[in-house]
Amino acid sequence: MAAHEEEEGGVAAGEAKSGVGTVAGPRQAPLAAPLVEYLLRLGDDRLILGHRMSEWTGHGPILEEDIATANIALDLIGQAAQLLKLAGEVEGKGRTEDTLAYFRDGVQFRNCLLVELPKGDFGDTMVRQFLFDAHSVLLWEALAGCGHAGIAGIAAKALKEDKYHLRHSSEWVVRLGDGTEESRARVQRSLDRLWKYTAELFAADEIDDAVAALGVRVDAAGLRARWDAMVNEVLARATLTRPAEGAAQRGGRRGRHTEHLGHLLATMQSVARAHPGATW
Amino acid sequence: MTQTTVPQEDPALLAAFEARIAAGESIEPKDWMPERYRKQLTRMMAQHAHSEIVGMLPEGNWITRAPSLRRKMSLIAKVQDEAGHGLYIYCGTETLGVDRHDLFNQLLDGSAKYSSIFNYPTLSWADMGVIGWFVDGAAIVNQTVLAKASYGPYARAMVRICKEENFHKRQGFEICATLAKGTPAQKEMLQDAVNRFWWPSLMMFGPSDKDSPNSAELLKWRVKRKTNDELRQRFVNLTVPQAQAIGVTLPDPDLRYDAATKNWEFGEIDWSEFWDVVKGNGPCNVERLEARNAAHDAGRWVREAALAHAAKNARSVSAA
Ligand SMILES: [Fe+2]
Ligand SMILES: [Fe+2]
Ligand SMILES: [Fe+2]
């Protein structure tokens, strides 16, 4: 009798059950320690963007750009390696920068959506890079003086690199915007398409509050204002129109990504995952 | 179409030129040189530059799949170096009075030659090690000698480039040594890559001396310093002990040490394969040219925009 009740009871509709096996769950999977989450966000942004940039190597519009894009990819992946290494150390579970890069699934990545979008044409790549670089330079400026020695050290070095990236990407935005009719139309379209992904760069949440308490403090509103001014200045020189603020796309910081990330990771992680435990 | 004729050089100038070469002097861009010397150098330098550029493709193929962040960065850096080499040598050809854009167009339309090794596919991560070890290694053997070539700008370029190729070779060998100490699957991957790249690497030195029509004159003018066969033998002698050191075999049952000549004697090269690849029928000839052309075509609007923007700036500067 009891056994029979079990069988039916398991699927019986409307029958309230309590205790073990409760079906009510939290709205979101728990996050890691705030500093780990924060470092993963910084590191994953640069790893994924660096990977996208590296896709240009050997396929650029001019030879000089093959060299420049490779350089930018190298800087970004170098920054990512340092940030992920630190994330692994803070986490204290023995994960290295390589375990974090190669043995997490997409939903465990914390990068913003902007960086994972396909590289598109050269204009898409440069507009994306410009929007990101402008934010990154301001962020590193703030973090270079923050109260966490490890982050401050990485920020100081990365700031120098990203200032060069910003000069490079903003010059291209101006050239392409104020170039030919075709080029202006193309980069305006790039800008219009990418704009909805920029809000995520500024979206602060409880992780930012928690790391601020640890001395990793960024004035988000001030940063946004300076970013607006920088972007407006370059877009004006480029004779491009700043898109209106519309519905924003976000989710990357919680692992809700676009479908593109899975394909990127399938490629990036393929060799490492085919040989787990191997040394390269 | 005018028929190309070998220009009659002034015998006195030619004699003076050859005396300078014989005295070991270097020839500089403004110096008088025989037309055939200029042509040979342009051909060699252009081929070298094209090889650097096409050579970015087979290795670029694995950048997105490199199995560690360190390897990913060093591979990007290597391919970036090759772009730099290409650019540097293209600029060097301009000292001979050629426009590098013309040379670049010859690469795109398939009329220019580049090293046949880059027409082979890269099929596994181990290829990134073996290419550094063999292909950059072979380039070093060639270029160390070219660093003493008679044309100053080319010789100096070779000195500078050779330093980086040495670094590439060490890096490639280190990848191979790591795989050789790795899991059975890694060892197998390495051996397979060695088997695929060994013979094409030997072909990199070009046809055997008896089938190399230009060699005598090139040697006399110190455009070349050693024959193809001499350089090939030097490469084999250098590489065999390295293979022994990491425990891989080379795919040549006839390979044996000759105590009398102190050479590693090797088996017959399949020259029909070489000529096939040179004529455009290698496994990736079509793909390599398509990739270069695709990049060039996709970049047209970007180059046009950059030119238009520069022209606008020039106008506004002169108007100011
Ligand atoms: Fe090379
Ligand atoms: Fe090179
Ligand atoms: Fe190289």
Side-chain angles (χ1 to χ4, degrees):
Chain A
M1 187 64 200
H4 177 75
E5 217 174 7
E6 273 290 318
E7 270 173 45
E8 284 201 330
V11 288
E15 213 175 309
K17 285 226 160 193
S18 61
V20 185
T22 178
V23 75
R27 284 178 185 267
Q28 284 174 341
L31 296 172
L35 197 52
V36 175
E37 285 288 336
Y38 192 73
L39 286 163
L40 289 177
R41 291 175 180 186
L42 291 175
D44 288 345
D45 276 355
R46 283 146 190 92
L47 174 61
I48 301 303
L49 185 60
H51 182 95
R52 283 294 187 215
M53 200 51 134
S54 80
E55 293 173 348
W56 279 99
T57 314
H59 305 279
I62 50 172
L63 208 40
E64 287 83 347
E65 278 310 299
D66 276 333
I67 296 173
T69 53
N71 210 40
I72 293 163
L74 268 177
D75 286 343
L76 290 170
I77 295 168
Q79 293 171 13
Q82 286 184 294
L83 290 158
L84 294 179
K85 181 171 186 285
L86 188 55
E89 286 166 6
V90 173
E91 185 190 48
K93 291 181 186 162
R95 292 204 286 182
T96 66
E97 62 271 36
D98 282 332
T99 359
L100 287 168
Y102 290 95
F103 292 92
R104 277 181 300 156
D105 290 336
V107 292
Q108 292 158 330
F109 272 74
R110 293 291 180 258
N111 58 279
C112 61
L113 304 182
L114 178 68
V115 298
E116 70 197 39
L117 302 173
K119 75 182 200 300
D121 69 14
F122 190 73
D124 294 328
T125 287
M126 282 303 138
V127 170
R128 184 233 313 259
Q129 192 67 37
F130 165 64
L131 297 170
F132 182 87
D133 289 341
H135 177 265
S136 196
V137 162
L138 296 171
L139 183 67
W140 291 136
E141 272 176 6
L143 291 177
C146 81
H148 186 286
I151 293 178
I154 294 171
K157 180 169 176 283
L159 175 59
K160 289 193 196 119
E161 295 169 346
D162 285 10
K163 276 184 174 169
Y164 156 76
H165 303 171
L166 176 62
R167 187 165 356 117
H168 178 262
S169 59
S170 54
E171 277 170 9
W172 270 111
V173 169
V174 171
R175 254 182 230 124
L176 297 176
D178 187 25
T180 62
E181 274 195 24
E182 182 192 1
S183 72
R184 178 188 290 131
R186 286 177 82 134
V187 282
Q188 183 66 56
R189 269 203 308 278
S190 305
L191 188 64
D192 294 344
R193 270 201 311 270
L194 292 169
W195 196 255
K196 64 176 179 285
Y197 297 98
T198 55
E200 192 174 23
L201 291 168
F202 302 94
D205 62 7
E206 69 266 31
I207 296 296
D208 297 272
D209 297 338
V211 297
L214 301 170
V216 184
R217 197 183 309 275
V218 175
D219 166 17
L223 196 149
R224 173 80 211 213
R226 292 178 62 201
W227 185 85
D228 279 335
M230 271 163 91
V231 168
N232 290 345
E233 188 267 328
V234 170
L235 294 186
R237 277 198 287 138
T239 68
L240 293 170
T241 308
R242 180 175 164 134
E245 301 299 332
Q249 287 295 331
R250 57 177 70 142
R253 303 300 186 206
R254 304 270 169 171
R256 309 277 170 87
H257 291 279
T258 66
E259 291 178 345
H260 303 295
L261 183 66
H263 295 281
L264 182 153
L265 295 178
T267 303
M268 185 177 95
Q269 299 176 333
S270 59
V271 178
R273 289 213 180 191
H275 305 268
T279 304
W280 302 98
Chain B
M1 280 288 281
T2 54
Q3 203 193 331
T4 46
T5 53
V6 183
Q8 276 311 110
E9 305 287 4
D10 179 327
L13 286 173
L14 186 60
F17 171 83
E18 290 192 335
R20 290 187 63 196
I21 299 259
E25 283 180 45
S26 88
I27 306 299
E28 294 302 325
K30 286 185 181 132
D31 296 343
W32 184 89
M33 61 188 84
E35 215 33 55
R36 280 186 54 73
Y37 179 84
R38 189 184 297 276
K39 280 231 173 68
Q40 287 291 4
L41 270 163
T42 306
R43 189 182 58 87
M44 273 180 69
M45 290 174 75
Q47 256 185 48
H48 190 165
H50 297 330
S51 301
E52 301 282 0
I53 299 311
V54 178
M56 296 169 74
L57 297 170
E59 289 182 283
N61 184 34
W62 283 86
I63 285 176
T64 55
R65 291 175 286 175
S68 76
L69 295 181
R70 183 171 75 95
R71 292 299 185 199
K72 194 183 193 71
M73 287 190 275
S74 54
L75 184 58
I76 295 171
K78 179 186 193 276
V79 178
Q80 183 191 33
D81 283 346
E82 309 301 5
H85 298 168
L87 192 56
Y88 192 52
I89 302 169
Y90 277 130
C91 293
T93 58
E94 302 203 319
T95 66
L96 291 163
V98 247
D99 183 341
R100 71 171 157 122
H101 298 100
D102 293 339
L103 297 179
F104 204 70
N105 285 331
Q106 287 164 15
L107 174 63
L108 294 174
D109 71 22
S111 62
K113 295 262 178 288
Y114 55 85
S115 184
S116 55
I117 191 81
F118 300 120
N119 289 317
Y120 290 86
T122 50
L123 303 180
S124 79
W125 169 252
D127 293 18
M128 298 304 100
V130 172
I131 287 179
W133 177 22
F134 286 175
V135 177
D136 289 80
I140 292 164
V141 168
N142 257 324
Q143 292 168 18
T144 310
V145 179
L146 288 171
K148 296 176 202 119
S150 59
Y151 188 57
Y154 193 38
R156 288 190 291 274
M158 286 308 99
V159 172
R160 189 173 132 175
I161 287 173
C162 240
K163 283 195 194 123
E164 291 183 348
E165 304 296 14
N166 263 303
F167 185 74
H168 298 164
K169 190 220 150 176
R170 275 209 304 279
Q171 189 173 279
F173 185 67
E174 201 248 314
I175 291 175
C176 294
T178 306
L179 294 172
K181 283 183 295 198
T183 64
Q186 285 177 301
K187 287 179 192 164
E188 195 180 315
M189 186 194 288
L190 172 63
Q191 185 64 58
D192 175 66
V194 166
N195 292 349
R196 280 182 286 111
F197 277 99
W198 175 249
W199 289 108
S201 299
L202 296 194
M203 294 176 199
M204 279 178 72
F205 296 93
S208 180
D209 296 342
K210 56 183 193 298
D211 304 313
S212 187
N214 298 324
S215 263
E217 189 182 55
L218 295 177
L219 287 165
K220 184 176 75 174
W221 285 344
R222 267 197 304 119
V223 173
K224 281 173 88 165
R225 304 292 315 266
K226 302 263 185 201
T227 69
N228 295 351
D229 287 334
E230 284 172 322
L231 292 169
R232 187 166 15 246
Q233 185 64 60
R234 177 185 291 195
F235 171 76
V236 173
N237 290 350
L238 283 170
T239 310
V240 170
Q242 293 163 353
Q244 291 173 316
I246 60 169
V248 296
T249 61
L250 297 169
D252 179 359
D254 298 324
L255 193 66
R256 61 174 186 88
Y257 188 68
D258 183 330
T261 60
K262 295 198 165 89
N263 282 332
W264 280 93
E265 304 288 342
F266 50 92
E268 199 60 41
I269 292 175
D270 179 359
W271 290 112
S272 66
E273 176 181 325
F274 173 77
W275 290 116
D276 237 21
V277 179
V278 169
K279 283 180 196 136
N281 302 319
C284 295
N285 294 61
V286 173
E287 285 81 357
R288 299 299 182 237
L289 277 193
E290 274 175 1
R292 282 313 324 168
N293 276 290
H296 190 75
D297 295 344
R300 179 166 292 114
W301 71 275
V302 175
R303 293 188 301 275
E304 285 169 359
L307 284 175
H309 182 73
K312 283 183 200 177
N313 268 4
R315 267 200 305 280
S316 64
V317 167
S318 60

